[in-house]
Amino acid sequence: MIRDALADAVLDALAALHVDPLPAQVNLERPARREHGDWSSNVALAAAKAAGRNPRELAAQLVEQLSANPPAHVVAVEIAGPGFVNFRLAPTWLHDVLTDVVDGGTEGYATTDAGGGERVQIEFVSANPTGPIHVGNGWFASYGDALGRVLTRTGHVVSREYYVNDTGGQIRALGASLLAHHKGEPVPEGGYPGEYVADLAKEYDGADDVTEAGQWAAERILGGIRATMESIHVHYDEWYSQASIEESSAVAETVEELRAKGLVTEEDGALWFESKEFGDPRERRVLRKSNGDYTYLAGDIAYHRNKFLIRGFDRVINVWGADHHGQVASLVAGVRALGIDADRIEVRLGQMISLASGRMGKRLGNVVNLDDVVADIGPDATRLLSLLTSIDQAVTIDLDKVRSHSKESPVFYVQYAHTRIASINRVAAERGVVRSPITDVDLGLLLHERELDVLRSLSELPDVIRIAAADRAPHKVATWVRELADRFHGFYHDCYVMGDGVSPELTQARLWLVESARIGFAIGLDLLGVSAPESM
RNA sequence: GCCCUCGUAGCUCAGUUGGAUAGAGCGACCGCCUCCUAAGCGGUAGGUCACAGGUUCAAUUCCUGUCGAGGGCGCCA
């Protein structure tokens, strides 16, 4: 990689200048402004103090040293500002990028094995099966899925899981609501008045038992949730039943394990977990109520014991809504108490989403089902919409605007760029233009700023993916793919691949540029789970 | 009261882990189709990066405080 070559050259130059101590790492970045060159380093600023030198002087010496023996592709090394060292490169470095992209292809370019085969489980959505998925509890479905794709590409082994809350009070409440509908009685307090319950009630012919009725309804609703997830290309490896944990001896075993460690006390007939010493801000939490039932927390700790100690995941990432924030510290305390390193569990809290029309709530009667959004704008736009922003951002979505501007949405912008690539290839085929092997093509003809901009974007993809994985921030891929689309539209507009005044040699070079862009779109869109259409 | 996540253009949001003159889309205004799809391209206008301190060569970015928004602090799940 060019960055490593430049960093090595800088280190060599620093050593030649007897800088002591040598910086552990040379920071190289792409300046925001073109005048500042293609690559820039702040190493003189960063290292000067420790070495007892003047930053600007050190930068000047560095420039002199590097200019005397410039690394490959470097045509000029300049000093700027308070002591930046700016590298100006020949376009050949970008032609090398093109070759790298084509050599790597969709499967290989911008991949790393940084994850080292780490087995990562991502649990996301996990909404209670008491009603259809709505835009609130389904918003981070694309996030969890895309994060999995990014982690897979960076060398992790990913498993996607939906924790099915198929037991407990809300299932009984669902059953009671179903039976009430069935008998034509009013839905009980705290029940589920939704239309879907009435519809299900018509089909129910089981026993007059709230648990049985609730489980029957939950199973049906879960089928709908699966279909919704599939419709936006989210495929789970596991739908894990909470009941299977609670009905096994797993919870009791987990509590026993904690008790054996001396972390459980009994008071008022309840069993308490001494959670504070494991980082819980609260002194202690109930594991088993005085009525003998285990709490949700006890079940959740048992569930995570299962994830780590039974199923052997190296790392667990839970994607939860911000309204579950209160559970995090207790769960992590429980996991730690079981002897599991705290940094193996991550809880990513997605901020609540709201509608421009106001708060969404079941009681307000303005719940928008995810299915309806998918039906309106399609799965691609639905996915990209939620992948444009960080999950730390409490977004406001205006569904009316999303609908009316769906033709101008980012997804069309990006997909349109991709169809233009397909279009170029179609026209080339019609005109009998065949792409020669890349080794026979003079990529040195690619000198137009628009062409170089496309290649600059492609050169950044490996970094983008690496950072998106490390930060658990797949939206960075979405930002990148929009930038690539922007650059490609510019190229398309200003640089004809075939046409008047375009030499056969230039056509060949541009066909390869187009191919490298195609690979970039294919990688980026696949990571986002958005389709890359051939025509629109 | 305490904890978490935030506060960037009229609106919705980016901002490469501290860099040089802070970006995009939508909305507004002005241009560009006899060649690969105008679902596109170019331009103009729009900012005290909530506010005040601190850290340093350098702060939208890190720290503290204030103000504001959302969320959380049960023997509910």
Side-chain angles (χ1 to χ4, degrees):
Chain A
M1 294 292 306
I2 185 82
R3 168 184 284 154
D4 299 331
L6 294 175
D8 288 348
V10 170
L11 270 181
D12 289 347
L14 287 170
L17 293 168
H18 306 294
V19 169
D20 181 53
L22 279 175
Q25 176 177 8
V26 175
N27 189 16
L28 277 154
E29 58 189 21
R30 281 162 252 240
R33 304 184 64 80
R34 192 58 40 74
E35 307 92 271
H36 298 142
D38 298 291
W39 286 87
S40 176
S41 180
N42 63 354
V43 70
L45 294 161
K49 193 168 191 179
R53 306 240 190 159
N54 174 294
R56 178 101 195 164
E57 258 171 44
L58 178 57
Q61 292 167 346
L62 263 177
V63 165
E64 196 179 335
Q65 189 75 22
L66 287 161
S67 299
N69 189 13
H73 303 295
V74 171
V75 293
V77 187
E78 296 155 2
I79 180 169
F84 289 104
V85 176
N86 294 340
F87 294 87
R88 211 166 289 281
L89 273 60
T92 46
W93 85 275
L94 290 167
H95 304 147
D96 283 1
V97 168
L98 198 165
T99 306
D100 284 348
V101 173
V102 169
D103 285 352
T106 312
E107 296 300 315
Y109 185 63
T111 58
T112 72
D113 54 3
E118 185 181 55
R119 291 187 62 213
V120 182
Q121 186 210 53
I122 307 176
E123 184 216 315
F124 57 104
V125 182
S126 298
N128 291 345
T130 52
I133 293 285
H134 53 76
V135 290
N137 56 25
W139 189 249
F140 298 113
S142 312
Y143 170 83
D145 182 59
L147 176 60
R149 292 167 187 251
V150 168
L151 289 178
T152 299
R153 200 174 182 89
T154 49
H156 304 78
V157 178
V158 172
S159 179
R160 293 168 177 78
E161 180 144 314
Y162 191 115
Y163 189 40
V164 183
N165 210 324
D166 53 358
T167 180
Q170 83 284 344
I171 293 298
R172 288 191 294 276
L174 178 65
S177 304
L178 185 88
L179 292 175
H181 274 291
H182 199 61
K183 298 178 211 159
E185 292 169 3
V187 173
E189 188 74 18
Y192 296 88
E195 197 116 333
Y196 59 92
V197 183
D199 292 341
L200 282 173
K202 290 174 195 153
E203 298 175 34
Y204 184 66
D205 61 355
D208 186 14
D209 175 85
V210 292
T211 300
E212 187 180 327
Q215 284 174 348
W216 179 88
E219 213 163 288
R220 297 295 301 269
I221 291 168
L222 195 61
I225 291 174
R226 284 175 196 252
T228 305
M229 291 294 111
E230 291 288 329
S231 78
I232 54 171
H233 316 133
V234 175
H235 312 294
Y236 283 97
D237 297 292
E238 195 79 49
W239 296 74
Y240 207 89
S241 160
Q242 182 180 344
S244 75
I245 287 279
E246 299 198 350
E247 287 163 10
S248 73
S249 53
V251 183
E253 282 168 20
T254 302
V255 172
E256 271 318 301
E257 198 170 325
L258 292 173
R259 195 209 288 268
K261 291 172 187 276
L263 301 171
V264 176
T265 55
E266 187 161 358
E267 193 176 312
D268 301 333
L271 293 182
W272 300 77
F273 166 43
E274 299 297 324
S275 55
K276 186 167 183 133
E277 59 180 291
F278 295 99
D280 195 331
R282 284 152 300 199
E283 203 63 43
R284 51 189 202 162
R285 314 279 343 259
V286 172
L287 291 176
R288 200 181 70 195
K289 306 180 213 171
S290 46
N291 69 3
D293 289 346
Y294 288 106
T295 58
Y296 182 82
L297 174 64
D300 215 15
I301 295 173
Y303 175 44
H304 284 80
R305 176 173 171 269
N306 174 281
K307 292 185 183 190
F308 285 110
L309 302 181
I310 311 286
R311 284 190 277 167
F313 288 109
D314 298 315
R315 179 177 299 278
V316 162
I317 301 176
N318 295 332
V319 182
W320 291 352
D323 53 340
H324 290 79
H325 165 246
Q327 297 167 225
V328 177
S330 304
L331 173 61
V332 172
V335 167
R336 286 182 58 197
L338 290 172
I340 297 155
D341 212 352
D343 66 10
R344 289 170 62 193
I345 180 168
E346 295 176 26
V347 181
R348 298 284 153 180
L349 294 178
Q351 294 303 300
M352 307 307 281
I353 73 137
S354 52
L355 300 176
S357 51
R359 266 205 71 77
M360 184 173 67
K362 279 182 184 150
R363 278 173 199 80
L364 296 170
N366 61 348
V367 171
V368 179
N369 287 335
L370 196 53
D371 281 340
D372 296 335
V373 176
V374 176
D376 266 352
I377 66 176
D380 288 335
T382 303
R383 278 191 72 114
L384 195 59
L385 187 62
S386 64
L387 285 172
L388 291 173
T389 64
S390 156
I391 66 163
D392 289 333
Q393 187 69 236
V395 299
T396 304
I397 54 173
D398 186 334
L399 283 170
D400 291 333
K401 214 169 236 178
V402 167
R403 283 190 198 99
S404 63
H405 295 294
S406 64
K407 294 259 173 181
E408 294 150 32
S409 78
V411 75
F412 283 86
Y413 188 77
V414 173
Q415 290 182 326
Y416 186 46
H418 188 263
T419 64
R420 283 181 145 176
I421 290 174
S423 172
I424 289 168
N425 288 330
R426 271 195 304 273
V427 171
E430 281 164 21
R431 297 185 188 177
V433 178
V434 177
R435 203 169 54 203
S436 308
I438 193 166
T439 45
D440 298 346
V441 172
D442 183 7
L443 300 177
L445 296 172
L446 300 173
L447 294 169
H448 197 287
E449 266 309 302
R450 298 289 210 176
E451 297 167 330
L452 300 179
D453 270 342
V454 170
L455 294 173
R456 287 186 184 106
S457 278
L458 290 169
S459 77
E460 289 167 13
L461 184 58
D463 283 345
V464 168
I465 292 175
R466 179 177 53 78
I467 293 165
D471 290 357
R472 319 298 192 218
H475 79 275
K476 288 174 190 287
V477 176
T479 303
W480 177 85
V481 97
R482 294 170 80 186
E483 180 193 82
L484 179 64
D486 178 51
R487 303 267 171 98
F488 188 81
H489 282 306
F491 159 78
Y492 183 90
H493 188 265
D494 286 356
C495 304
Y496 279 87
V497 174
M498 296 155 287
D500 298 342
V502 181
S503 70
E505 293 77 18
L506 186 54
T507 291
Q508 284 297 323
R510 284 181 172 167
L511 281 173
W512 278 109
L513 178 79
V514 168
E515 172 62 8
S516 67
R518 186 194 66 75
I519 291 167
F521 281 117
I523 293 170
L525 290 174
D526 180 65
L527 289 174
L528 299 171
V530 172
S531 66
E534 301 277 299
S535 65
M536 287 167 70

